[in-house]
Amino acid sequence: KFDLNHIYDLTNNATKAMGGIRDTENSIEMQCLPLYSILQAMGNPTVNYLSLDIEGAELQVLLTLPWDKVDIEVLSVETDLAGMVMEGSREEIIEFMESVGYTHREHSSSWSHVNDMPKDDMFVRNDVARKIGLGVKTKDEL
């Protein structure tokens, strides 16, 4: 359910992130599909850039993807609300993405006014990072 009264507002508590997790008279029921199902329906294309900004539920979506079966080169993930709405900290997101073969980069121009930290983090798949010269070592070099 999507609660229209909980649109994110910096003047209110950050836990009132977009959508909230409440069943109110202003809630609208919406169908949600797993990201992997959508990618499969499209023929599992190469995704050059994916922006994941779902107000604190990013880790839950990232955990559902079979990373060995998708072709996502670069992701921008909103992390400043991690742990405020659902489980999963910014550090857990970074650790998880590194564990599935991505190099972490902070967005230099994306700063959160909620908790004085980067609002988003960038993840570049290691083979792409090496190709563009981000200095990622291969397993043999480690």
PDB file of all heavy atoms in Angstrom, residues 20-55:
ATOM      1  N   GLY A  20       5.508   5.544   3.263  1.00  0.00           N
ATOM      2  CA  GLY A  20       5.293   5.089   4.623  1.00  0.00           C
ATOM      3  C   GLY A  20       5.107   3.578   4.637  1.00  0.00           C
ATOM      4  O   GLY A  20       5.328   2.908   3.664  1.00  0.00           O
ATOM      5  N   ILE A  21       4.714   3.007   5.700  1.00  0.00           N
ATOM      6  CA  ILE A  21       4.298   1.616   5.727  1.00  0.00           C
ATOM      7  C   ILE A  21       3.084   1.614   6.641  1.00  0.00           C
ATOM      8  O   ILE A  21       3.133   1.175   7.768  1.00  0.00           O
ATOM      9  CB  ILE A  21       5.412   0.686   6.219  1.00  0.00           C
ATOM     10  CG1 ILE A  21       6.627   0.846   5.346  1.00  0.00           C
ATOM     11  CG2 ILE A  21       4.938  -0.762   6.211  1.00  0.00           C
ATOM     12  CD1 ILE A  21       7.785  -0.045   5.709  1.00  0.00           C
ATOM     13  N   ARG A  22       2.034   2.216   6.125  1.00  0.00           N
ATOM     14  CA  ARG A  22       0.829   2.397   6.922  1.00  0.00           C
ATOM     15  C   ARG A  22      -0.386   2.112   6.060  1.00  0.00           C
ATOM     16  O   ARG A  22      -0.389   2.346   4.863  1.00  0.00           O
ATOM     17  CB  ARG A  22       0.761   3.832   7.445  1.00  0.00           C
ATOM     18  CG  ARG A  22       1.848   4.178   8.433  1.00  0.00           C
ATOM     19  CD  ARG A  22       1.777   5.666   8.759  1.00  0.00           C
ATOM     20  NE  ARG A  22       2.533   6.075   9.890  1.00  0.00           N
ATOM     21  CZ  ARG A  22       3.850   6.150   9.954  1.00  0.00           C
ATOM     22  NH1 ARG A  22       4.570   5.775   8.945  1.00  0.00           N
ATOM     23  NH2 ARG A  22       4.468   6.585  11.024  1.00  0.00           N
ATOM     24  N   ASP A  23      -1.436   1.657   6.690  1.00  0.00           N
ATOM     25  CA  ASP A  23      -2.699   1.423   6.015  1.00  0.00           C
ATOM     26  C   ASP A  23      -3.661   2.494   6.513  1.00  0.00           C
ATOM     27  O   ASP A  23      -4.140   2.434   7.635  1.00  0.00           O
ATOM     28  CB  ASP A  23      -3.202   0.017   6.349  1.00  0.00           C
ATOM     29  CG  ASP A  23      -4.391  -0.372   5.489  1.00  0.00           C
ATOM     30  OD1 ASP A  23      -4.711   0.366   4.536  1.00  0.00           O
ATOM     31  OD2 ASP A  23      -4.995  -1.424   5.775  1.00  0.00           O
ATOM     32  N   THR A  24      -3.874   3.520   5.692  1.00  0.00           N
ATOM     33  CA  THR A  24      -4.738   4.626   6.096  1.00  0.00           C
ATOM     34  C   THR A  24      -5.808   4.838   5.035  1.00  0.00           C
ATOM     35  O   THR A  24      -5.804   4.202   3.979  1.00  0.00           O
ATOM     36  CB  THR A  24      -3.933   5.936   6.246  1.00  0.00           C
ATOM     37  OG1 THR A  24      -3.518   6.369   4.943  1.00  0.00           O
ATOM     38  CG2 THR A  24      -2.721   5.747   7.152  1.00  0.00           C
ATOM     39  N   GLU A  25      -6.697   5.770   5.286  1.00  0.00           N
ATOM     40  CA  GLU A  25      -7.747   6.083   4.317  1.00  0.00           C
ATOM     41  C   GLU A  25      -7.176   6.648   3.028  1.00  0.00           C
ATOM     42  O   GLU A  25      -7.823   6.632   1.991  1.00  0.00           O
ATOM     43  CB  GLU A  25      -8.750   7.067   4.928  1.00  0.00           C
ATOM     44  CG  GLU A  25      -8.135   8.417   5.269  1.00  0.00           C
ATOM     45  CD  GLU A  25      -9.089   9.329   6.012  1.00  0.00           C
ATOM     46  OE1 GLU A  25      -9.764   8.854   6.941  1.00  0.00           O
ATOM     47  OE2 GLU A  25      -9.140  10.518   5.650  1.00  0.00           O
ATOM     48  N   ASN A  26      -5.943   7.153   3.074  1.00  0.00           N
ATOM     49  CA  ASN A  26      -5.304   7.696   1.876  1.00  0.00           C
ATOM     50  C   ASN A  26      -4.402   6.692   1.167  1.00  0.00           C
ATOM     51  O   ASN A  26      -3.703   7.042   0.230  1.00  0.00           O
ATOM     52  CB  ASN A  26      -4.491   8.940   2.227  1.00  0.00           C
ATOM     53  CG  ASN A  26      -5.386  10.090   2.617  1.00  0.00           C
ATOM     54  OD1 ASN A  26      -6.412  10.336   1.997  1.00  0.00           O
ATOM     55  ND2 ASN A  26      -5.025  10.784   3.691  1.00  0.00           N
ATOM     56  N   SER A  27      -4.395   5.447   1.634  1.00  0.00           N
ATOM     57  CA  SER A  27      -3.557   4.425   1.011  1.00  0.00           C
ATOM     58  C   SER A  27      -4.137   3.990  -0.329  1.00  0.00           C
ATOM     59  O   SER A  27      -5.354   3.915  -0.502  1.00  0.00           O
ATOM     60  CB  SER A  27      -3.445   3.197   1.914  1.00  0.00           C
ATOM     61  OG  SER A  27      -2.765   3.516   3.093  1.00  0.00           O
ATOM     62  N   ILE A  28      -3.238   3.722  -1.238  1.00  0.00           N
ATOM     63  CA  ILE A  28      -3.605   3.200  -2.555  1.00  0.00           C
ATOM     64  C   ILE A  28      -2.905   1.864  -2.704  1.00  0.00           C
ATOM     65  O   ILE A  28      -1.693   1.774  -2.487  1.00  0.00           O
ATOM     66  CB  ILE A  28      -3.130   4.143  -3.685  1.00  0.00           C
ATOM     67  CG1 ILE A  28      -3.762   5.514  -3.539  1.00  0.00           C
ATOM     68  CG2 ILE A  28      -3.438   3.535  -5.043  1.00  0.00           C
ATOM     69  CD1 ILE A  28      -3.178   6.537  -4.499  1.00  0.00           C
ATOM     70  N   GLU A  29      -3.626   0.834  -3.069  1.00  0.00           N
ATOM     71  CA  GLU A  29      -3.011  -0.472  -3.278  1.00  0.00           C
ATOM     72  C   GLU A  29      -2.385  -0.491  -4.665  1.00  0.00           C
ATOM     73  O   GLU A  29      -3.020  -0.108  -5.657  1.00  0.00           O
ATOM     74  CB  GLU A  29      -4.042  -1.586  -3.154  1.00  0.00           C
ATOM     75  CG  GLU A  29      -3.391  -2.927  -3.122  1.00  0.00           C
ATOM     76  CD  GLU A  29      -4.085  -3.904  -2.207  1.00  0.00           C
ATOM     77  OE1 GLU A  29      -4.952  -3.502  -1.418  1.00  0.00           O
ATOM     78  OE2 GLU A  29      -3.742  -5.079  -2.302  1.00  0.00           O
ATOM     79  N   MET A  30      -1.125  -0.908  -4.713  1.00  0.00           N
ATOM     80  CA  MET A  30      -0.392  -0.938  -5.982  1.00  0.00           C
ATOM     81  C   MET A  30       0.227  -2.312  -6.167  1.00  0.00           C
ATOM     82  O   MET A  30       0.660  -2.934  -5.204  1.00  0.00           O
ATOM     83  CB  MET A  30       0.707   0.129  -5.981  1.00  0.00           C
ATOM     84  CG  MET A  30       0.184   1.531  -5.771  1.00  0.00           C
ATOM     85  SD  MET A  30       1.483   2.755  -5.722  1.00  0.00           S
ATOM     86  CE  MET A  30       1.839   2.895  -7.453  1.00  0.00           C
ATOM     87  N   GLN A  31       0.273  -2.755  -7.410  1.00  0.00           N
ATOM     88  CA  GLN A  31       0.922  -4.028  -7.697  1.00  0.00           C
ATOM     89  C   GLN A  31       2.425  -3.807  -7.790  1.00  0.00           C
ATOM     90  O   GLN A  31       2.885  -2.873  -8.444  1.00  0.00           O
ATOM     91  CB  GLN A  31       0.412  -4.610  -9.005  1.00  0.00           C
ATOM     92  CG  GLN A  31       1.041  -5.944  -9.336  1.00  0.00           C
ATOM     93  CD  GLN A  31       0.505  -6.534 -10.626  1.00  0.00           C
ATOM     94  OE1 GLN A  31      -0.165  -5.870 -11.396  1.00  0.00           O
ATOM     95  NE2 GLN A  31       0.812  -7.792 -10.857  1.00  0.00           N
ATOM     96  N   CYS A  32       3.179  -4.663  -7.135  1.00  0.00           N
ATOM     97  CA  CYS A  32       4.633  -4.608  -7.185  1.00  0.00           C
ATOM     98  C   CYS A  32       5.140  -5.909  -7.783  1.00  0.00           C
ATOM     99  O   CYS A  32       4.600  -6.979  -7.498  1.00  0.00           O
ATOM    100  CB  CYS A  32       5.220  -4.426  -5.785  1.00  0.00           C
ATOM    101  SG  CYS A  32       4.741  -2.876  -5.013  1.00  0.00           S
ATOM    102  N   LEU A  33       6.158  -5.812  -8.589  1.00  0.00           N
ATOM    103  CA  LEU A  33       6.769  -6.988  -9.198  1.00  0.00           C
ATOM    104  C   LEU A  33       8.247  -7.007  -8.868  1.00  0.00           C
ATOM    105  O   LEU A  33       8.881  -5.953  -8.795  1.00  0.00           O
ATOM    106  CB  LEU A  33       6.593  -6.961 -10.722  1.00  0.00           C
ATOM    107  CG  LEU A  33       5.159  -6.978 -11.233  1.00  0.00           C
ATOM    108  CD1 LEU A  33       5.126  -6.705 -12.722  1.00  0.00           C
ATOM    109  CD2 LEU A  33       4.483  -8.288 -10.905  1.00  0.00           C
ATOM    110  N   PRO A  34       8.816  -8.191  -8.691  1.00  0.00           N
ATOM    111  CA  PRO A  34      10.261  -8.263  -8.450  1.00  0.00           C
ATOM    112  C   PRO A  34      11.039  -7.703  -9.644  1.00  0.00           C
ATOM    113  O   PRO A  34      10.671  -7.935 -10.802  1.00  0.00           O
ATOM    114  CB  PRO A  34      10.521  -9.765  -8.281  1.00  0.00           C
ATOM    115  CG  PRO A  34       9.196 -10.355  -7.940  1.00  0.00           C
ATOM    116  CD  PRO A  34       8.174  -9.493  -8.642  1.00  0.00           C
ATOM    117  N   LEU A  35      12.095  -6.972  -9.358  1.00  0.00           N
ATOM    118  CA  LEU A  35      12.921  -6.395 -10.414  1.00  0.00           C
ATOM    119  C   LEU A  35      13.424  -7.467 -11.373  1.00  0.00           C
ATOM    120  O   LEU A  35      13.418  -7.277 -12.587  1.00  0.00           O
ATOM    121  CB  LEU A  35      14.096  -5.626  -9.802  1.00  0.00           C
ATOM    122  CG  LEU A  35      15.060  -4.969 -10.775  1.00  0.00           C
ATOM    123  CD1 LEU A  35      14.344  -4.017 -11.726  1.00  0.00           C
ATOM    124  CD2 LEU A  35      16.151  -4.236 -10.009  1.00  0.00           C
ATOM    125  N   TYR A  36      13.821  -8.609 -10.848  1.00  0.00           N
ATOM    126  CA  TYR A  36      14.314  -9.687 -11.709  1.00  0.00           C
ATOM    127  C   TYR A  36      13.235 -10.161 -12.679  1.00  0.00           C
ATOM    128  O   TYR A  36      13.515 -10.429 -13.845  1.00  0.00           O
ATOM    129  CB  TYR A  36      14.834 -10.852 -10.872  1.00  0.00           C
ATOM    130  CG  TYR A  36      15.424 -11.962 -11.698  1.00  0.00           C
ATOM    131  CD1 TYR A  36      16.516 -11.737 -12.538  1.00  0.00           C
ATOM    132  CD2 TYR A  36      14.889 -13.241 -11.650  1.00  0.00           C
ATOM    133  CE1 TYR A  36      17.061 -12.754 -13.300  1.00  0.00           C
ATOM    134  CE2 TYR A  36      15.436 -14.271 -12.406  1.00  0.00           C
ATOM    135  CZ  TYR A  36      16.511 -14.021 -13.227  1.00  0.00           C
ATOM    136  OH  TYR A  36      17.053 -15.031 -13.983  1.00  0.00           O
ATOM    137  N   SER A  37      11.987 -10.241 -12.234  1.00  0.00           N
ATOM    138  CA  SER A  37      10.890 -10.643 -13.122  1.00  0.00           C
ATOM    139  C   SER A  37      10.721  -9.645 -14.262  1.00  0.00           C
ATOM    140  O   SER A  37      10.481 -10.031 -15.411  1.00  0.00           O
ATOM    141  CB  SER A  37       9.573 -10.755 -12.341  1.00  0.00           C
ATOM    142  OG  SER A  37       9.661 -11.757 -11.366  1.00  0.00           O
ATOM    143  N   ILE A  38      10.846  -8.376 -13.940  1.00  0.00           N
ATOM    144  CA  ILE A  38      10.720  -7.340 -14.973  1.00  0.00           C
ATOM    145  C   ILE A  38      11.862  -7.471 -15.978  1.00  0.00           C
ATOM    146  O   ILE A  38      11.650  -7.420 -17.190  1.00  0.00           O
ATOM    147  CB  ILE A  38      10.686  -5.933 -14.339  1.00  0.00           C
ATOM    148  CG1 ILE A  38       9.418  -5.788 -13.483  1.00  0.00           C
ATOM    149  CG2 ILE A  38      10.761  -4.841 -15.406  1.00  0.00           C
ATOM    150  CD1 ILE A  38       9.407  -4.573 -12.580  1.00  0.00           C
ATOM    151  N   LEU A  39      13.087  -7.660 -15.473  1.00  0.00           N
ATOM    152  CA  LEU A  39      14.239  -7.826 -16.370  1.00  0.00           C
ATOM    153  C   LEU A  39      14.075  -9.064 -17.253  1.00  0.00           C
ATOM    154  O   LEU A  39      14.381  -9.029 -18.453  1.00  0.00           O
ATOM    155  CB  LEU A  39      15.536  -7.904 -15.571  1.00  0.00           C
ATOM    156  CG  LEU A  39      15.971  -6.615 -14.883  1.00  0.00           C
ATOM    157  CD1 LEU A  39      17.156  -6.873 -13.968  1.00  0.00           C
ATOM    158  CD2 LEU A  39      16.283  -5.533 -15.900  1.00  0.00           C
ATOM    159  N   GLN A  40      13.586 -10.159 -16.675  1.00  0.00           N
ATOM    160  CA  GLN A  40      13.376 -11.380 -17.450  1.00  0.00           C
ATOM    161  C   GLN A  40      12.317 -11.170 -18.523  1.00  0.00           C
ATOM    162  O   GLN A  40      12.476 -11.642 -19.652  1.00  0.00           O
ATOM    163  CB  GLN A  40      12.967 -12.540 -16.529  1.00  0.00           C
ATOM    164  CG  GLN A  40      14.104 -13.067 -15.690  1.00  0.00           C
ATOM    165  CD  GLN A  40      15.213 -13.647 -16.551  1.00  0.00           C
ATOM    166  OE1 GLN A  40      15.071 -14.721 -17.092  1.00  0.00           O
ATOM    167  NE2 GLN A  40      16.290 -12.919 -16.697  1.00  0.00           N
ATOM    168  N   ALA A  41      11.255 -10.461 -18.208  1.00  0.00           N
ATOM    169  CA  ALA A  41      10.195 -10.190 -19.181  1.00  0.00           C
ATOM    170  C   ALA A  41      10.712  -9.352 -20.349  1.00  0.00           C
ATOM    171  O   ALA A  41      10.178  -9.422 -21.457  1.00  0.00           O
ATOM    172  CB  ALA A  41       9.016  -9.487 -18.493  1.00  0.00           C
ATOM    173  N   MET A  42      11.781  -8.583 -20.097  1.00  0.00           N
ATOM    174  CA  MET A  42      12.384  -7.750 -21.138  1.00  0.00           C
ATOM    175  C   MET A  42      13.507  -8.477 -21.872  1.00  0.00           C
ATOM    176  O   MET A  42      14.202  -7.882 -22.682  1.00  0.00           O
ATOM    177  CB  MET A  42      12.921  -6.456 -20.514  1.00  0.00           C
ATOM    178  CG  MET A  42      11.845  -5.588 -19.906  1.00  0.00           C
ATOM    179  SD  MET A  42      12.534  -4.187 -18.981  1.00  0.00           S
ATOM    180  CE  MET A  42      13.413  -3.322 -20.256  1.00  0.00           C
ATOM    181  N   GLY A  43      13.730  -9.754 -21.560  1.00  0.00           N
ATOM    182  CA  GLY A  43      14.795 -10.504 -22.212  1.00  0.00           C
ATOM    183  C   GLY A  43      16.138 -10.371 -21.529  1.00  0.00           C
ATOM    184  O   GLY A  43      17.170 -10.618 -22.132  1.00  0.00           O
ATOM    185  N   ASN A  44      16.142  -9.961 -20.268  1.00  0.00           N
ATOM    186  CA  ASN A  44      17.361  -9.776 -19.478  1.00  0.00           C
ATOM    187  C   ASN A  44      18.411  -8.916 -20.200  1.00  0.00           C
ATOM    188  O   ASN A  44      19.531  -9.342 -20.435  1.00  0.00           O
ATOM    189  CB  ASN A  44      17.962 -11.119 -19.063  1.00  0.00           C
ATOM    190  CG  ASN A  44      18.886 -10.975 -17.868  1.00  0.00           C
ATOM    191  OD1 ASN A  44      18.789 -10.023 -17.116  1.00  0.00           O
ATOM    192  ND2 ASN A  44      19.779 -11.921 -17.706  1.00  0.00           N
ATOM    193  N   PRO A  45      18.035  -7.686 -20.527  1.00  0.00           N
ATOM    194  CA  PRO A  45      18.969  -6.811 -21.254  1.00  0.00           C
ATOM    195  C   PRO A  45      20.116  -6.337 -20.366  1.00  0.00           C
ATOM    196  O   PRO A  45      20.045  -6.417 -19.143  1.00  0.00           O
ATOM    197  CB  PRO A  45      18.089  -5.619 -21.630  1.00  0.00           C
ATOM    198  CG  PRO A  45      17.104  -5.533 -20.495  1.00  0.00           C
ATOM    199  CD  PRO A  45      16.821  -6.981 -20.133  1.00  0.00           C
ATOM    200  N   THR A  46      21.158  -5.828 -21.010  1.00  0.00           N
ATOM    201  CA  THR A  46      22.213  -5.144 -20.265  1.00  0.00           C
ATOM    202  C   THR A  46      21.626  -3.840 -19.742  1.00  0.00           C
ATOM    203  O   THR A  46      21.049  -3.055 -20.496  1.00  0.00           O
ATOM    204  CB  THR A  46      23.423  -4.840 -21.163  1.00  0.00           C
ATOM    205  OG1 THR A  46      23.989  -6.071 -21.586  1.00  0.00           O
ATOM    206  CG2 THR A  46      24.465  -4.007 -20.437  1.00  0.00           C
ATOM    207  N   VAL A  47      21.754  -3.628 -18.447  1.00  0.00           N
ATOM    208  CA  VAL A  47      21.312  -2.377 -17.830  1.00  0.00           C
ATOM    209  C   VAL A  47      22.584  -1.587 -17.576  1.00  0.00           C
ATOM    210  O   VAL A  47      23.396  -1.960 -16.741  1.00  0.00           O
ATOM    211  CB  VAL A  47      20.541  -2.635 -16.513  1.00  0.00           C
ATOM    212  CG1 VAL A  47      20.152  -1.318 -15.860  1.00  0.00           C
ATOM    213  CG2 VAL A  47      19.317  -3.504 -16.772  1.00  0.00           C
ATOM    214  N   ASN A  48      22.766  -0.505 -18.328  1.00  0.00           N
ATOM    215  CA  ASN A  48      23.968   0.297 -18.173  1.00  0.00           C
ATOM    216  C   ASN A  48      23.955   1.087 -16.872  1.00  0.00           C
ATOM    217  O   ASN A  48      24.993   1.247 -16.238  1.00  0.00           O
ATOM    218  CB  ASN A  48      24.141   1.251 -19.351  1.00  0.00           C
ATOM    219  CG  ASN A  48      24.202   0.524 -20.676  1.00  0.00           C
ATOM    220  OD1 ASN A  48      23.303   0.656 -21.485  1.00  0.00           O
ATOM    221  ND2 ASN A  48      25.238  -0.252 -20.898  1.00  0.00           N
ATOM    222  N   TYR A  49      22.777   1.575 -16.483  1.00  0.00           N
ATOM    223  CA  TYR A  49      22.673   2.382 -15.267  1.00  0.00           C
ATOM    224  C   TYR A  49      21.313   2.153 -14.639  1.00  0.00           C
ATOM    225  O   TYR A  49      20.275   2.319 -15.288  1.00  0.00           O
ATOM    226  CB  TYR A  49      22.856   3.867 -15.595  1.00  0.00           C
ATOM    227  CG  TYR A  49      22.701   4.777 -14.401  1.00  0.00           C
ATOM    228  CD1 TYR A  49      23.707   4.889 -13.451  1.00  0.00           C
ATOM    229  CD2 TYR A  49      21.541   5.511 -14.216  1.00  0.00           C
ATOM    230  CE1 TYR A  49      23.562   5.714 -12.346  1.00  0.00           C
ATOM    231  CE2 TYR A  49      21.385   6.350 -13.115  1.00  0.00           C
ATOM    232  CZ  TYR A  49      22.396   6.439 -12.189  1.00  0.00           C
ATOM    233  OH  TYR A  49      22.257   7.253 -11.096  1.00  0.00           O
ATOM    234  N   LEU A  50      21.297   1.787 -13.377  1.00  0.00           N
ATOM    235  CA  LEU A  50      20.064   1.594 -12.622  1.00  0.00           C
ATOM    236  C   LEU A  50      20.111   2.511 -11.412  1.00  0.00           C
ATOM    237  O   LEU A  50      21.080   2.492 -10.647  1.00  0.00           O
ATOM    238  CB  LEU A  50      19.937   0.138 -12.150  1.00  0.00           C
ATOM    239  CG  LEU A  50      18.794  -0.161 -11.184  1.00  0.00           C
ATOM    240  CD1 LEU A  50      17.449  -0.041 -11.891  1.00  0.00           C
ATOM    241  CD2 LEU A  50      18.948  -1.548 -10.591  1.00  0.00           C
ATOM    242  N   SER A  51      19.074   3.308 -11.230  1.00  0.00           N
ATOM    243  CA  SER A  51      18.948   4.151 -10.048  1.00  0.00           C
ATOM    244  C   SER A  51      17.903   3.522  -9.143  1.00  0.00           C
ATOM    245  O   SER A  51      16.743   3.379  -9.530  1.00  0.00           O
ATOM    246  CB  SER A  51      18.526   5.561 -10.452  1.00  0.00           C
ATOM    247  OG  SER A  51      18.335   6.358  -9.293  1.00  0.00           O
ATOM    248  N   LEU A  52      18.317   3.131  -7.940  1.00  0.00           N
ATOM    249  CA  LEU A  52      17.416   2.496  -6.985  1.00  0.00           C
ATOM    250  C   LEU A  52      17.191   3.465  -5.827  1.00  0.00           C
ATOM    251  O   LEU A  52      18.077   3.699  -5.010  1.00  0.00           O
ATOM    252  CB  LEU A  52      18.024   1.174  -6.498  1.00  0.00           C
ATOM    253  CG  LEU A  52      17.138   0.298  -5.616  1.00  0.00           C
ATOM    254  CD1 LEU A  52      15.854  -0.099  -6.342  1.00  0.00           C
ATOM    255  CD2 LEU A  52      17.903  -0.948  -5.179  1.00  0.00           C
ATOM    256  N   ASP A  53      16.001   4.022  -5.770  1.00  0.00           N
ATOM    257  CA  ASP A  53      15.653   5.033  -4.780  1.00  0.00           C
ATOM    258  C   ASP A  53      14.239   4.718  -4.314  1.00  0.00           C
ATOM    259  O   ASP A  53      13.266   5.169  -4.904  1.00  0.00           O
ATOM    260  CB  ASP A  53      15.740   6.415  -5.413  1.00  0.00           C
ATOM    261  CG  ASP A  53      15.386   7.540  -4.451  1.00  0.00           C
ATOM    262  OD1 ASP A  53      14.872   7.266  -3.352  1.00  0.00           O
ATOM    263  OD2 ASP A  53      15.613   8.704  -4.821  1.00  0.00           O
ATOM    264  N   ILE A  54      14.119   3.885  -3.277  1.00  0.00           N
ATOM    265  CA  ILE A  54      12.799   3.465  -2.810  1.00  0.00           C
ATOM    266  C   ILE A  54      12.652   3.711  -1.315  1.00  0.00           C
ATOM    267  O   ILE A  54      12.043   2.931  -0.602  1.00  0.00           O
ATOM    268  CB  ILE A  54      12.476   2.015  -3.212  1.00  0.00           C
ATOM    269  CG1 ILE A  54      13.606   1.063  -2.825  1.00  0.00           C
ATOM    270  CG2 ILE A  54      12.185   1.937  -4.695  1.00  0.00           C
ATOM    271  CD1 ILE A  54      13.321  -0.382  -3.120  1.00  0.00           C
ATOM    272  N   GLU A  55      13.241   4.798  -0.862  1.00  0.00           N
ATOM    273  CA  GLU A  55      13.008   5.353   0.463  1.00  0.00           C
ATOM    274  C   GLU A  55      13.241   4.383   1.622  1.00  0.00           C
ATOM    275  O   GLU A  55      12.412   4.232   2.505  1.00  0.00           O
ATOM    276  CB  GLU A  55      11.599   5.951   0.545  1.00  0.00           C
ATOM    277  CG  GLU A  55      11.287   6.956  -0.545  1.00  0.00           C
ATOM    278  CD  GLU A  55      12.284   8.102  -0.639  1.00  0.00           C
ATOM    279  OE1 GLU A  55      12.723   8.611   0.414  1.00  0.00           O
ATOM    280  OE2 GLU A  55      12.642   8.490  -1.761  1.00  0.00           O
TER     281      GLU A  55
END
